[in-house]
């Protein structure tokens, strides 16, 4: 009983922070400066904070209607997370078009690989569209976002990109993806045991709360993007190496 109260408390805390972040971005006019981030946060609040609770209340947790709706919206959120990650790469590479052209091709390649792997799983279980293809596609896409997010953070450090708000947004997203990946790994290793399920039920919302807190802190800071001369030189050298 206490566990359920804590879980519900964390969930309502997430709803409040999602709504607060949407209002904060709207107040700042984020659709002009951070359109992709604003769209993703709005989608996250609309799906997770409004639509899913309404469908859950109407159909019930054990219903097929809620099951289908949950996983379809999970694919939408996974796509949104992937596109947001791409926009973070674009922001990090905005001073060097050659580097961005290479990164853009790499991002397209990663997405096609995720689709191919998911379709391959469907060919082995062609009658299980929801339980295999959609679930696996969503999880594969989230995992690719985790890897890309890590690569982005490393790239920002190597190129000395001094964009504190972007670094915080990337760190927040990395916390969310890493927490979910760790929880799913624990479930697989323990074959879905009760203890692993309990840990996962707490780990995921705690990481989501952490992400939202970091994001709120990021958007309340003055948006400053400063490239040091050394970072410009590193970007130019990397772009030249990729183009050769």
């Amino acid at each position: 009983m206490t566990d359920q109260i804590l879980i519900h408390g964390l969930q309502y805390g997430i709803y409040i922070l999602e709504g607060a972040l949407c209002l904060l971005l709207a107040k700042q006019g984020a659709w002009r400066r951070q359109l992709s981030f604003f769209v993703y946060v709005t989608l996250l609040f609309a799906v997770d904070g409004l639509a899913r609770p309404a469908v859950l209340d109407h159909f019930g947790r054990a219903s097929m209607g809620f099951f289908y709706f949950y996983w379809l919206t999970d694919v939408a959120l996974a796509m949104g997370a992937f596109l947001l990650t791409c926009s973070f790469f674009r922001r990090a590479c905005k001073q060097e078009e050659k580097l961005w052209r290479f990164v853009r091709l790499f991002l397209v390649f990663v997405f096609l690989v995720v689709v191919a792997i998911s379709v391959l799983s469907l060919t082995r279980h062609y009658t299980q569209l929801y339980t295999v293809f959609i679930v696996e596609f969503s999880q594969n896409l989230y995992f690719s976002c985790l890897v890309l997010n890590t690569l982005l953070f490393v790239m920002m450090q190597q190129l000395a990109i001094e964009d504190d708000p972007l670094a915080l947004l990337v760190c927040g997203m990395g916390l969310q993806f890493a927490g979910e990946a760790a929880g799913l790994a624990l479930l697989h290793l323990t074959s879905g045991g009760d203890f692993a399920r309990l840990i996962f039920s707490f780990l995921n919302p705690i990481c989501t709360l952490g992400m939202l807190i970091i994001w709120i802190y990021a958007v309340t800071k003055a948006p400053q993007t400063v490239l040091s001369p050394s970072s410009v030189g590193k970007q130019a050298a990397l772009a030249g190496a990729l183009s050769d």
Side-chain angles (χ1 to χ4, degrees):
M1 185 65 178
T2 305
D3 296 341
Q4 292 300 317
I5 293 175
L6 291 175
I7 291 172
H8 281 86
L10 289 171
Q11 197 62 56
Y12 282 110
I14 290 172
Y15 299 157
I16 292 172
L17 289 183
E18 288 172 349
L21 184 55
C22 283
L23 292 176
L24 182 61
L25 290 172
K27 183 179 179 180
Q28 292 183 348
W31 56 83
R32 299 190 186 98
R33 294 178 291 101
Q34 303 181 70
L35 179 60
S36 57
F37 182 58
F38 177 74
V39 170
Y40 177 76
V41 171
T42 303
L43 175 66
L44 182 63
F45 177 61
V47 170
D48 188 53
L50 299 177
R52 282 179 177 174
V55 173
L56 176 62
D57 183 66
H58 181 75
F59 289 101
R61 186 173 299 276
S63 66
M64 293 303 297
F66 177 70
F67 176 81
Y68 291 148
F69 183 80
Y70 179 89
W71 283 108
L72 281 174
T73 54
D74 198 62
V75 170
L77 290 176
M79 286 292 301
F82 183 83
L83 293 175
L84 180 61
T85 303
C86 294
S87 74
F88 288 164
F89 270 101
R90 181 68 183 100
R91 178 171 168 177
C93 300
K94 67 179 181 180
Q95 298 294 327
E96 185 50 68
E97 287 298 323
K98 290 183 179 180
L99 177 60
W100 166 240
R101 285 196 291 269
F102 171 79
V103 171
R104 182 174 56 192
L105 290 175
F106 177 70
L107 293 172
V108 172
F109 172 75
V110 170
F111 181 76
L112 292 177
V113 169
V114 170
V115 173
I117 293 174
S118 303
V119 170
L120 182 62
S121 69
L122 180 61
T123 60
R124 299 194 300 267
H125 308 277
Y126 59 90
T127 61
Q128 299 174 330
L129 177 62
Y130 277 89
T131 56
V132 176
F133 176 72
I134 290 183
V135 175
E136 184 162 340
F137 175 71
S138 178
Q139 293 182 352
N140 290 341
L141 199 55
Y142 275 127
F143 180 75
S144 69
C145 288
L146 171 61
V147 175
L148 290 172
N149 194 77
T150 305
L151 291 176
L152 174 58
F153 185 80
V154 173
M155 185 186 81
M156 291 179 64
Q157 301 306 308
Q158 291 295 318
L159 299 180
I161 299 174
E162 299 178 8
D163 187 343
D164 289 342
L166 177 59
L168 288 169
L169 294 178
V170 171
C171 288
M173 180 168 279
L175 175 63
Q176 166 66 18
F177 291 149
E180 184 169 354
L184 290 173
L186 181 62
L187 286 175
H188 284 297
L189 289 173
T190 59
S191 300
D194 293 338
F195 178 74
R197 290 181 179 277
L198 179 63
I199 295 297
F200 183 76
S201 64
F202 279 103
L203 182 62
N204 201 35
I206 288 175
C207 289
T208 302
L209 275 175
M211 177 190 72
L212 293 171
I213 291 172
I214 294 174
W215 280 2
I216 289 175
Y217 179 72
V219 299
T220 54
K221 290 174 64 68
Q224 296 180 356
T225 304
V226 180
L227 289 177
S228 63
S230 61
S231 68
V232 175
K234 288 180 180 179
Q235 286 194 14
L238 180 57
L242 293 174
S243 61
D244 289 341

